[in-house]
Amino acid sequence: GESVGLHLPTLSVQEGDNSIINCAYSNSASDYFIWYKQESGKGPQFIIDIRSNMDKRQGQRVTVLLNKTVKHLSLQIAATQPGDSAVYFCAERGGYQKVTFGIGTKLQVIP
Amino acid sequence: GAVVSQHPSWVICKSGTSVKIECRSLDFQATTMFWYRQFPKQSLMLMATSNEGSKATYEQGVEKDKFLINHASLTLSTLTVTSAHPEDSSFYICSAPGQGAIYGYTFGSGTRLTVV
């Protein structure tokens, strides 16, 4: 959904545990959703995506769940590693191929 | 895979001057380029959409005369921050729908602008 300029919430996870990052999106007409990882000073890096006609998609160590009823998206990271520490954004595609980003969550992995 | 090259990666300029940021699609043609701005510890905010051969479309609240966008070719889109002020200091990122991937988007590496 549209970011309202709030500061990023932080999720701290012990190394080896699973992480769940949640996101609420705003546009019920969005047809495609993406999770991005952003490290400091760099552009967003694609993690996984899901189309609106699906409710779950799995990648390597990551799973995205989509609940259109409540406009909720989640990213699950299995066996979280220190290299997973970054800021994670959900994004939705609406009209004119525009991709808008959610607020983001900072993931801190505790060794 | 599709690559968008963004330059410069960082720039420092004096208040009142203009700065141009370039994004090039290296191995595909980008008829559309999205420009984002990101303030520290905040999300990416869509500023505008550039379209090759036509005028850019700006999001609500973004000043057209301050953020000039040009998309003169299928491989180059530019954002010029005119009469820059310290409050324009931010991280600017471009993004294009990727070639060969119906839904994929490719991002540039970003430009850190600091106005002093």
Side-chain angles (χ1 to χ4, degrees):
Chain A
E2 290 290 339
S3 169
V4 296
L6 300 175
H7 289 268
L8 300 171
T10 299
L11 174 67
S12 295
V13 175
Q14 203 73 35
E15 181 179 358
D17 287 352
N18 297 333
S19 302
I20 299 176
I21 301 172
N22 296 302
C23 174
Y25 64 93
S26 57
N27 187 355
S28 57
S30 293
D31 65 347
Y32 173 63
F33 304 87
I34 317 155
W35 278 100
Y36 289 99
K37 173 185 180 182
Q38 187 180 30
E39 297 174 327
S40 181
K42 297 183 179 180
Q45 175 188 352
F46 172 90
I47 300 174
I48 192 169
D49 58 1
I50 188 168
R51 295 166 61 174
S52 59
N53 60 353
M54 303 171 68
D55 53 21
K56 180 179 180 180
R57 188 156 188 242
Q58 287 184 296
Q60 186 177 14
R61 277 204 310 124
V62 293
T63 301
V64 55
L65 299 177
L66 173 63
N67 185 330
K68 293 185 290 296
T69 302
V70 295
K71 292 190 285 187
H72 183 268
L73 202 63
S74 70
L75 175 70
Q76 300 177 5
I77 304 174
T80 312
Q81 303 168 0
D84 295 328
S85 294
V87 177
Y88 290 81
F89 294 97
C90 68
E92 59 183 303
R93 185 180 75 169
Y96 303 102
Q97 294 187 303
K98 290 183 184 178
V99 172
T100 53
F101 284 73
I103 293 174
T105 298
K106 182 177 181 179
L107 177 64
Q108 288 183 331
V109 181
I110 305 167
Chain B
V3 176
V4 171
S5 176
Q6 183 170 349
H7 293 281
S9 57
W10 62 271
V11 57
I12 302 173
C13 71
K14 292 184 178 180
S15 288
T17 61
S18 296
V19 173
K20 180 186 283 188
I21 301 169
E22 294 187 349
C23 279
R24 295 180 184 272
S25 54
L26 296 186
D27 48 2
F28 69 103
Q29 293 181 333
T31 56
T32 300
M33 191 75 75
F34 300 102
W35 288 92
Y36 294 85
R37 177 171 53 183
Q38 185 179 31
F39 293 108
K41 297 185 179 181
Q42 294 188 19
S43 187
L44 285 76
M45 296 292 293
L46 182 64
M47 299 174 65
T49 304
S50 73
N51 300 287
E52 188 270 334
S54 63
K55 288 184 179 180
T57 56
Y58 290 80
E59 296 300 302
Q60 190 173 7
V62 177
E63 300 176 59
K64 300 179 181 181
D65 295 332
K66 181 167 187 62
F67 299 100
L68 301 180
I69 290 176
N70 184 278
H71 197 146
S73 76
L74 288 171
T75 59
L76 176 63
S77 176
T78 63
L79 167 67
T80 301
V81 182
T82 63
S83 187
H85 292 285
E87 57 265 32
D88 298 323
S89 298
S90 188
F91 192 54
Y92 293 86
I93 311 170
C94 59
S95 171
Q99 181 187 39
I102 298 174
Y103 299 106
Y105 289 79
T106 302
F107 283 82
S109 54
T111 297
R112 171 73 59 193
L113 170 64
T114 302
V115 185
V116 297

